């Protein structure tokens, strides 16, 4: 029987238990391509749920309309330009959760017209009305004014690709090129100043010539090769001041005028006319192989092959469909896919290599309105997410279909994108930008700017209690022991959750809050400040980490004991509890097991180095032990941070390492592998279980009572799909496969069962005989009838009986043990013992 009671919870709508303040709000829930447990999980855990949290920027609420936003290319810093009717304009720098950087604030008499970040340093160039250019150095807390060379609004402002040059252009057609130092200060007079006589409106740096080996070029120059020397230092007579080429950088660029002319400025500062169009240029883009893409205001698209000297040869011209007279937001993704938003209810796509075009529309079934139009777009390649802002304040999201999801090799273009539920925002969205290495999304509706950050949905199952995050502030709690379920709303951002039969702990890297479960009641049992990124719980103790130590705490945060790790062992960063054992993994790929059955934690298994056990391994993504503490399972990170196809099993009593490789679908003794990262002989030996091949394990669990049982969740590894499989598509392949094993000293690993993840389930939460436990997809969950103004009751957890327990889920312990022994004997082929077990099963 599934849980049906409700917890009697006085803290069901707990408001700010730790005085954190409401710094965010729920925006929407979407299927995520990643989860933030480790670099490996970030890449492969595609079945996980995620929420997007909107961070309000309170410091900007008193400012005027916001005209521009710009992300730093690497760091989570957002520049926002605002207009003030009384004082002119201002520029502010905002952190990822909406915090204001006060020492970087810039106030001017004229509004900002351009923002441009240095490609690597925290240096921002700001172009203003009437020709002012100011450089804000956030790192050194400095502002530097660029010498005045403009008398009109700045319309073009770009850094060179390594940040040694800054080009500025204005409405009157004056273009200036500056040499900049490491702190963003101008060095010497302009390298170039040219007057084109017409409004400059676009600028793009030319990528370095493809295939050019600058390292070899440098060696040739040092050896006296004059031609190579010229490419680094132009000193030919009559060519003006020399421009030095930085590493991996070309210093040439293209600029366009409102009359449709495009000019080329080469590395020596010489400008030449490149091409002309019949109307003003809206966008300049570069494709691979030195192809310049030009799109005009009348939506005329032309492609131009650029020679080494900068000459443009037109290779294609076509009129794009869509309405004119409206500003277009145009991006180029995946090398050749052009996407435009032109104030229409659709996005228009043109694949410049395949010659394919299609549209994606806003679906009213997702809550979009009739006549709702898309103003702006941005793409996050790391997440495969295309985002669009509408005139009704919604953010549309299309997720690129994964290779392992469907037969995308034969799909039509529009079928390669899946529309997600929209984000509700306020006002008319005029700008939307993905940015920084953290893949944050900034949204500007002129009246407000918000930052959206994706967070993995937290969940945990332990001792018959499951907690699943429904939204940023709402959690579903299910106790299978008391058959009760309820919602918990908490006004703080949560990065993780840990459940036991007695309590639930939630944390966010700044604070920890604990709730006690007593029958069907739920009460706040303690909260405290703590910067630990991970947490575990056993009985009345919490376990948190700090450099080189694990802290044993009370629910109120008092430290009772310290578990110390040496510098060689590294800093604890992974925690897991099974039975009475705590497993700790470190950032230097060590692990140690502690026995928690006594008053104080005692070392059960001394520190082990994964690189000693498996030479060539890079790091631990996840480590867990079984209920008796004698078996350890480890998910392994590759050198690039992605998850390896192998699971490592370590026997603490026998000091023996066994591997199961989901690439080959076979078990291997680590002693047979001279080097983990070296070549392996016959990796493609035919497996007895081909459905286990070409997979990546993403989560793993030991049964919480039965020490022999292990289960893991695996996904298809797209990099291992053969060309035959690609041609056939992957409909017949199971995207997510649940695999369980028996693990014993005598027989090693034995496959117990495998089955595809049911369509209604989101992910595996764990196992405890006789059930597997799963988090459900939100569209599959059922809600009880709720009273008006009451939060609907979410049932986000489901369980499925193990194969040999179907129809016997409610049996007593003796029968359960007999069935489990029958299953084990059947697996090893011992029919006599299996028959004896059957006789013990009560009818």
């Amino acid at each position: 029987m599934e849980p049906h009671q409700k917890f009697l919870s006085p803290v069901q709508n707990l408001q700010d238990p730790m005085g954190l303040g409401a710094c965010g709000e729920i925006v929407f829930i979407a299927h995520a391509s990643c989860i933030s447990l480790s670099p490996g999980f970030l890449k492969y855990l595609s079945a996980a749920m995620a929420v997007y949290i909107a961070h309000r920027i309170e410091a900007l609420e008193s400012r005027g309309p916001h005209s521009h936003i710009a992300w730093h290319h690497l760091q989570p810093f957002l520049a926002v330009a605002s207009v003030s009717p009384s004082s002119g304009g201002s520029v502010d720098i905002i952190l990822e959760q909406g915090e204001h950087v006060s020492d970087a604030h810039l106030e001017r008499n004229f509004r900002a017209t351009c923002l441009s970040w240095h490609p690597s340093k925290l240096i921002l160039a700001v172009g203003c009305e009437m020709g002012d250019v100011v450089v804000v150095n956030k790192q050194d807390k400095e502002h530097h004014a660029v010498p005045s060379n403009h008398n009109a609004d700045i319309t073009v402002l770009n850094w060179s690709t390594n940040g040694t040059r800054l080009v500025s252009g204005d409405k009157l057609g004056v273009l200036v090129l500056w040499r900049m130092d490491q702190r963003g200060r101008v060095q010497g007079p302009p390298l170039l100043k040219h007057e084109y006589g017409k409004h400059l409106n676009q600028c793009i740096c030319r990528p370095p010539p493809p295939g050019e080996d600058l390292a070899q070029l440098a060696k040739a120059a040092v050896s006296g090769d004059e031609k190579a020397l010229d490419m680094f230092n132009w000193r030919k007579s009559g060519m003006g001041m020399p421009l030095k080429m930085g590493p991996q950088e070309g210093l040439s660029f293209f600029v366009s005028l409102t009359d449709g002319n495009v000019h080329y400025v080469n590395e020596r500062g010489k400008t030449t006319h490149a091409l002309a169009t019949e109307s003003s240029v809206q966008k300049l883009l570069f494709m691979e192989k030195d192809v310049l893409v030009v799109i005009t205001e009348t939506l005329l698209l032309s492609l131009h092959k650029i020679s080494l000297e900068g000459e443009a040869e037109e290779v294609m011209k076509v009129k794009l469909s869509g309405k004119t007279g409206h500003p277009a937001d145009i991006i180029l993704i995946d090398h050749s896919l052009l996407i435009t938003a032109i104030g229409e209810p659709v996005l228009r796509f043109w694949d410049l290599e395949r010659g394919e075009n299609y549209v994606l529309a806003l679906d009213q079934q997702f809550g979009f309105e009739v006549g709702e139009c898309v103003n702006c777009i941005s793409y996050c390649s790391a997440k495969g997410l295309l985002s669009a802002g509408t005139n009704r304040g919604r953010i549309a999201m299309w997720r690129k279909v994964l290779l392992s999801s469907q037969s995308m090799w034969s799909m039509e273009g529009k079928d390669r994108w899946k529309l997600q539920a929209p984000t509700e925002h306020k006002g008319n969205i005029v700008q939307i930008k993905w940015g920084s290495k953290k893949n944050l999304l900034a949204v500007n509706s002129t009246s407000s700017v918000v930052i959206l950050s994706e967070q993995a949905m937290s969940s945990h199952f332990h001792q018959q209690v499951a907690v699943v995050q429904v939204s940023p502030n709402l959690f579903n709690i299910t106790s299978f022991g008391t058959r009760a379920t309820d919602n918990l709303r908490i006004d703080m951002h949560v990065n993780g959750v840990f459940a036991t039969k007695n309590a639930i702990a939630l944390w966010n890297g700044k604070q920890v809050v604990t709730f006690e479960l007593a029958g069907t009641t739920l009460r706040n049992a303690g909260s405290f400040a703590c910067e630990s990124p991970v947490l575990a719980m056993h009985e009345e103790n919490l376990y948190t980490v700090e450099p080189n130590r694990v802290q044993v705490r009370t629910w109120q945060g008092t430290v009772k004991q310290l578990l110390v790790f040496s510098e060689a062992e590294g800093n604890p960063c992974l925690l897991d509890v099974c039975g009475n054992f705590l497993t700790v993994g470190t950032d230097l790929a060590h692990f140690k097991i502690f026995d928690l059955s006594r008053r104080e934690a005692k070392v059960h298994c001394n520190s082990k180095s994964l690189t000693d056990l498996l030479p060539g391994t890079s790091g631990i993504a996840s480590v867990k032990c079984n209920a008796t503490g004698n078996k350890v399972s480890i998910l392994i990170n590759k050198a690039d941070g992605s998850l390896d196809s192998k699971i490592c099993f370590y026997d603490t009593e026998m000091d023996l390492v066994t591997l199961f490789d989901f690439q080959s679908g076979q078990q291997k003794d680590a002693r047979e592998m001279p080097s983990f990262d070296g070549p392996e002989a016959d990796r493609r030996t035919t497996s007895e279980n081909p459905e286990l091949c070409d997979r990546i394990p993403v989560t793993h669990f030991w049964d919480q009572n039965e020490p022999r049982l292990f289960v893991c969740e695996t996904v298809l590894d797209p990099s291992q799909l053969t060309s035959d499989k690609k041609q056939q598509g992957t409909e017949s392949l199971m995207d997510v496969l649940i695999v369980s094993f028996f693990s014993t000293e005598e027989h090693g690993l034995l496959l117990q069962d495998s089955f595809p993840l049911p369509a209604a389930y989101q992910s595996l939460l764990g196992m405890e005989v006789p059930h597997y436990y799963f988090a459900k997809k939100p569209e599959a969950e059922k809600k009880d009838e709720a009273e008006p103004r009451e939060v609907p009751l979410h049932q986000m957890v489901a369980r499925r009986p193990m194969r040999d327990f179907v129809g016997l889920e409610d049996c007593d312990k003796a029968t359960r043990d007999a069935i489990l022994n029958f299953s084990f004997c059947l697996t090893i082929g011992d029919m006599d013992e299996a028959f004896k077990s059957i006789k013990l099963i009560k009818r």
Side-chain angles (χ1 to χ4, degrees), residues 609-618 636 648 657-659 670 673 676:
S609 167
L610 181 63
T611 53
D612 289 343
L613 298 175
L614 291 172
T617 49
S618 297
I636 303 165
C648 169
V657 176
T658 304
L659 295 171
M673 303 175 62
F676 188 81

Side-chain angles (χ1 to χ4, degrees), residues 265 292 302 362 423 463 469 511 603 680 704 755 800 820:
V265 181
L292 179 67
S302 56
L362 301 177
T423 301
Q463 296 179 338
Q469 190 173 18
Q511 298 281 338
V603 174
E680 296 180 30
Q704 295 178 18
F755 56 91
R800 164 178 169 150
L820 194 62

Side-chain angles (χ1 to χ4, degrees), residues 272-288:
T272 57
H273 183 264
L275 60 101
T277 62
E278 93 296 345
S279 63
S280 180
V281 174
Q282 275 205 94
K283 194 75 173 181
L284 295 176
L285 299 162
F286 257 106
M287 293 176 59
E288 290 183 340

